Amino acid sequence: MVKSLPRRSEVPAEETWDLNSLFPSDKEFNAALESLQQEVAGFQKQFKGNIQDAASVVEVLTSYLALLEKLVPISTYASLSLSTDQTDDEAQMRSNKFGSVSAKMSSQLSFVTSELLALPEETLKSAMEQSGEFEVYLKELIRRKPHQLHPEVEKTLAAYSSTFSAPYGLYNTTKMVDMAFDDFEVNGQSYPLSYVSFEGDWEAEPDAELRRTAFTAFSNKLKEYQHTTAKTYDMQLQTEKTTSDLRGYDTIFDYLLFNQEVDRSLYNRQIDLIMTELAPHMQKYANLLQKAHGLDKMTFADLKISLDPSYEPEITVEESKKYINEALGIMGDDYLEMVERSYSERWIDFAQNTGKSTGAFCSSPYGNHPYILISWTGRMNEVFVLAHELGHAGHFYNANREQNLFNARPSLYFIEAPSTMNEMLVANHLLQNSDDPKFKRWVISSIVARTYYHNFVTHLLEAAYQRKVYERIDAGQSVNAGVLNSIKRGMLEEFWGDAVEITPGAELTWMRQPHYYMGLYPYTYSAGLTISTQVSKRILNEGQQAVDEWLEVLKAGGTKTPVELAQMAGVDITTEKPLRDTIAYIGELIDELVALTEEIEEVAK
C-alpha cells in the first residue's frame, strides 16, 4: 500500500548518497566557490587579449581546462543537494547562489572562445598539432565559427546564462514545491497521493478503480497549474528561438541538433518510423493488457499496469546487487568493481522522501565518481531502472578516465545507448536462466512495458509532440496550455488509435517531463536503444569480441560523432535498417507475450 512520504531528515542515512567526496560540508563548498571566483578573475587578467599564436592557444586551453575541472564538483554539489529535497530552503539558496556566480564567471570566461575564433584557422590547426589533447575541442570550435557573435555580445549572453536557465528552475519549483496533492478517496477510504507515489505506484496499481481514480486526482491537480507551466515552457521556447535566430541558424531544429552532431534526417526518421510502424505492435500490446485484466475498456490510465500483477516479484536493495552483478558480469571485472563501489560507497540515493526529484538519473562529475538518484519501491522492475542508470555511470566511469574534460561527453544522440544496453543485458540474463513460462512472460513484459515502452513510446511521443511545438515556434508563434493540450492529445490519439481511450487528463502529460527544457532530448532515448538493441544481439551471438568493442566505445567518450561511435560497435545508423530491425524485434516480443499468455491460461484451465 502506498504511504505518505517522509521528510528527508527522517530517511535512514544508508538509503541516501554520500556527497562528501564532493564537499564534506557547505563551508568547504563556499570556500571552493570563492576561490574559483578569484582564479577566474586572475585567469581573465592573464590571458584576455593575449591569445595570439598556437603556443598561447595551448597555454590558455591548459589553464582553462584546469578551471573547468574545479567548477565541476561545485556545480554538481549545488545540483545534487537540491535534487533530493527541493523543499529545502538552504539547498534552494545554495543552488541560486551558484547560478548567479556561475553566470558571472561564464561572462568573464567568454573571451576564450571569442578570441580563439578570431584567430586564423591555420593557427588553430597548428595548435592541434602541438597538442593533440585539444584537437577535438578546437575542431568543434571551428565548426561553430559561423554562428559565433561579436565578443561583447557573447559576454553579455554568458552573463544572462542563469536567467536563460530560469524556466527549468521555475518548472521544478512548480512541480516539486508548490504542487501539493490532496489524498483521494475510493469506497470511503482515503489514499495519499504525490508525484513520486503516482509515478512509482499508482500508475501500476492492479486495482482498476484505485488506479483510475488516482489518475483523475493527479490530473486534476496538474490542471490547476497548466497555465503557469505552459507560460514557463513558452519562455524556454522563445529563448531558444531568439538564440537560434541571433546565431544565424536556418531553423530552430538546426540550432538544437548542432551540438548533437546529427542532421535532421536521423531526427525525423526516429520519430516518423516509430509513429507509423511501432504503433500497430503497441496497440496489440494494449489489447493484450485489456484482455488479461478483463477491463471494460482500455484507457490511457491503464497503460502502465503489469501484464500479470500477481507475479510481480519484490526485491530489496541488497538483493538487487545479485541480479545486477550476474547480468553485467559479461562487462568484465573493472566494470563490476564500479558496480560494487556504487553500493558500498553510497553513490546511489534510494530513499523516497518529499521534495525529491521524480524519476531517476545519473550524474557523473569529471574527476569524481558517478551519483545515481532513484526512488526505490521494492518492485523487481526497478532492477532495470538501476541497471539503466549504472549504464550511464559505467559510460562516464570509463570515458572520464580515458579522456580529458573537453573530450569525455559524447553527443546527446548517443547518450542513452550505454544505459539501455544494460537493460538489455539484464533481460538477456534473466531469460537465459529460466524456462518457467510465467517468469519468462514477466521478463519479456518488463522489457516491453519498461525498457521499450519508456524509451520507444513515452519519450518518443514526447518527441513527436515536441516536434510539433517547435514547428510552431519556428513559424514565429507561441504556445499556451490550450495549444499544448491539443498537440499532446493529437499525438496520443494518432499513436494509440482505437485501441486506447485517451481519457481527460491524458493531454496534460506534457506537464510531467523536464526533458522539454533540455533541447531535443526525448527522441534520443529511442535512438540510443536502437543502437543498444543491435549491440546486445551482437554480444549474445559473438560474445567477448562484441563486449570488448563496446568497452572501447565507452572509453571513446566524445572523441567521435554518434555515427562513428555506432560504427565502432558494428551498427550503421545512417540507414533505416537498425531502427526497422528493432521495431520488428519489439513486435516479436509482443507476439511471444501473446503466445505465453495463451499457454499459461490453457494450463490454468
Side-chain angles (χ1 to χ4, degrees):
M1 179 58 64
V2 178
K3 299 177 181 178
S4 296
L5 295 177
R7 293 189 295 271
R8 181 69 178 178
S9 59
E10 297 170 341
V11 300
E14 61 268 22
E15 294 181 10
T16 66
W17 55 27
D18 181 4
L19 299 183
N20 281 329
S21 67
L22 294 169
F23 294 102
S25 70
D26 289 357
K27 181 180 178 181
E28 283 83 355
F29 165 82
N30 289 323
L33 185 57
E34 176 63 32
S35 175
L36 186 60
Q37 289 180 78
Q38 294 174 11
E39 288 189 53
V40 167
F43 173 86
Q44 182 186 36
K45 185 176 180 181
Q46 178 182 356
F47 289 107
K48 188 174 183 181
N50 296 321
I51 310 175
Q52 299 170 353
D53 53 24
S56 58
V57 169
V58 173
E59 185 182 5
V60 73
L61 286 179
T62 301
S63 296
Y64 186 48
L65 183 61
L67 281 179
L68 294 181
E69 287 178 355
K70 291 179 180 179
L71 177 64
V72 169
I74 298 172
S75 64
T76 305
Y77 184 83
S79 171
L80 295 187
S81 57
L82 179 62
S83 66
T84 52
D85 186 3
Q86 298 194 44
T87 66
D88 184 334
D89 289 340
E90 288 185 11
Q92 289 178 28
M93 292 301 101
R94 185 187 307 114
S95 179
N96 292 341
K97 177 182 178 180
F98 172 76
S100 60
V101 171
S102 175
K104 180 181 177 182
M105 291 191 295
S106 295
S107 180
Q108 290 174 298
L109 294 171
S110 66
F111 77 90
V112 175
T113 301
S114 295
E115 291 192 21
L116 287 174
L117 286 176
L119 295 172
E121 223 174 279
E122 294 73 22
T123 303
L124 297 180
K125 289 179 179 177
S126 177
M128 292 182 208
E129 294 172 2
Q130 288 189 27
S131 177
E133 185 179 12
F134 303 122
E135 181 179 355
V136 174
Y137 177 84
L138 290 172
K139 278 184 178 177
E140 179 62 17
L141 208 60
I142 292 170
R143 197 169 73 92
R144 285 171 50 191
K145 196 165 187 172
H147 305 289
Q148 186 73 3
L149 303 175
H150 187 278
E152 287 304 311
V153 177
E154 293 290 351
K155 181 179 178 181
T156 303
L157 290 174
Y160 274 102
S161 59
S162 64
T163 303
F164 294 151
S165 63
Y168 181 45
L170 285 171
Y171 167 78
N172 277 323
T173 300
T174 302
K175 175 179 174 180
M176 301 308 304
V177 181
D178 285 345
M179 199 178 292
F181 293 85
D182 297 324
D183 293 352
F184 66 94
E185 190 173 295
V186 174
N187 296 326
Q189 185 169 346
S190 184
Y191 299 91
L193 182 64
S194 68
Y195 238 110
V196 172
S197 68
F198 178 75
E199 295 189 342
D201 292 289
W202 292 122
E203 271 193 312
E205 166 62 43
D207 185 299
E209 188 174 6
L210 275 176
R211 181 177 65 251
R212 292 173 177 177
T213 305
F215 177 84
T216 300
F218 182 77
S219 300
N220 287 343
K221 178 57 66 173
L222 290 184
K223 192 172 184 179
E224 293 176 15
Y225 291 85
Q226 62 177 324
H227 300 296
T228 300
T229 307
K231 187 64 179 177
T232 300
Y233 183 34
D234 190 54
M235 289 168 56
Q236 172 77 20
L237 296 167
Q238 299 303 333
T239 299
E240 290 170 335
K241 173 60 175 169
T242 300
T243 305
S244 171
D245 291 345
L246 278 175
R247 294 197 177 279
Y249 289 91
D250 292 337
T251 71
I252 196 169
F253 294 98
D254 295 313
Y255 163 59
L256 294 171
L257 289 171
F258 184 84
N259 286 338
Q260 293 186 22
E261 300 179 274
V262 295
D263 59 34
R264 286 182 72 177
S265 66
L266 270 71
Y267 167 72
N268 286 325
R269 176 200 301 154
Q270 207 69 27
I271 297 172
D272 292 338
L273 281 183
I274 294 176
M275 285 295 292
T276 56
E277 297 189 15
L278 180 64
H281 296 305
M282 295 309 300
Q283 289 168 18
K284 181 187 287 187
Y285 175 68
N287 291 333
L288 176 63
L289 284 177
Q290 181 181 356
K291 181 182 176 184
H293 284 263
L295 298 175
D296 55 333
K297 59 184 177 180
M298 192 67 186
T299 75
F300 185 78
D302 303 319
L303 284 169
K304 295 293 183 72
I305 54 178
S306 170
L307 184 56
D308 184 3
S310 67
Y311 198 82
E312 180 69 42
E314 293 187 355
I315 188 168
T316 65
V317 167
E318 186 61 31
E319 289 168 342
S320 71
K321 288 172 62 176
K322 174 179 178 292
Y323 289 97
I324 294 287
N325 283 331
E326 290 176 352
L328 304 186
I330 193 171
M331 296 293 289
D333 292 341
D334 183 64
Y335 201 96
L336 283 186
E337 181 189 2
M338 178 211 70
V339 173
E340 174 57 36
R341 289 181 62 199
S342 71
Y343 283 91
S344 63
E345 297 178 14
R346 287 174 51 205
W347 299 0
I348 309 171
D349 199 275
F350 292 101
Q352 291 192 70
N353 59 264
T354 55
K356 185 173 180 178
S357 294
T358 58
F361 68 74
C362 177
S363 174
S364 298
Y366 191 87
N368 210 299
H369 61 70
Y371 286 92
I372 292 172
L373 179 142
I374 184 173
S375 293
W376 193 264
T377 64
R379 287 194 175 94
M380 181 69 174
N381 66 5
E382 284 172 346
V383 172
F384 287 92
V385 181
L386 185 52
H388 178 105
E389 301 308 333
L390 284 167
H392 287 305
H395 187 186
F396 289 103
Y397 186 76
N398 279 280
N400 288 350
R401 289 186 303 179
E402 297 289 330
Q403 310 295 338
N404 67 33
L405 180 57
F406 287 147
N407 298 348
R409 191 170 185 84
S411 158
L412 196 64
Y413 184 94
F414 191 82
I415 213 78
E416 295 297 337
S419 54
T420 51
M421 165 61 80
N422 278 14
E423 293 190 55
M424 299 307 297
L425 292 177
V426 169
N428 290 341
H429 169 73
L430 293 175
L431 285 173
Q432 287 173 339
N433 286 275
S434 178
D435 293 322
D436 176 18
K438 280 199 168 187
F439 185 75
K440 284 185 69 176
R441 182 174 69 167
W442 176 82
V443 174
I444 295 170
S445 65
S446 294
I447 304 171
V448 172
R450 214 224 73 81
T451 302
Y452 284 109
Y453 189 101
H454 187 68
N455 298 290
F456 263 72
V457 179
T458 298
H459 292 320
L460 196 281
L461 287 173
E462 290 173 13
Y465 152 86
Q466 191 181 41
R467 185 170 64 174
K468 288 279 188 186
V469 170
Y470 277 122
E471 286 170 353
R472 184 182 176 90
I473 298 301
D474 216 36
Q477 298 175 290
S478 60
V479 296
N480 59 23
V483 168
L484 296 175
N485 289 343
S486 176
I487 293 174
K488 188 63 181 181
R489 173 171 284 277
M491 290 295 96
L492 294 173
E493 289 175 343
E494 179 184 341
F495 186 83
W496 291 110
D498 295 333
V500 178
E501 180 180 304
I502 309 302
T503 43
E507 72 280 359
L508 298 169
T509 308
W510 63 266
M511 294 178 63
R512 294 169 54 182
Q513 284 291 354
H515 294 143
Y516 304 128
Y517 299 85
M518 304 173 188
L520 296 177
Y521 187 18
Y523 90 102
T524 66
Y525 280 87
S526 62
L529 184 52
T530 299
I531 295 169
S532 61
T533 297
Q534 300 308 310
V535 178
S536 68
K537 288 182 177 181
R538 281 197 63 210
I539 289 175
L540 276 177
N541 295 329
E542 301 173 31
Q544 194 60 48
Q545 181 181 342
V547 172
D548 291 343
E549 290 176 6
W550 184 243
L551 287 170
E552 289 304 309
V553 170
L554 301 186
K555 292 174 183 176
T559 60
K560 308 284 185 183
T561 68
V563 169
E564 291 169 336
L565 289 170
Q567 285 174 340
M568 285 176 67
V571 182
D572 184 3
I573 59 171
T574 65
T575 72
E576 293 182 351
K577 188 176 185 304
L579 180 54
R580 288 189 183 276
D581 285 351
T582 301
I583 291 172
Y585 175 64
I586 299 171
E588 291 168 7
L589 291 175
I590 292 170
D591 288 342
E592 191 167 356
L593 283 180
V594 172
L596 282 168
T597 299
E598 291 173 352
E599 177 186 341
I600 291 165
E601 289 176 349
E602 187 65 32
V603 171
K605 286 181 180 178

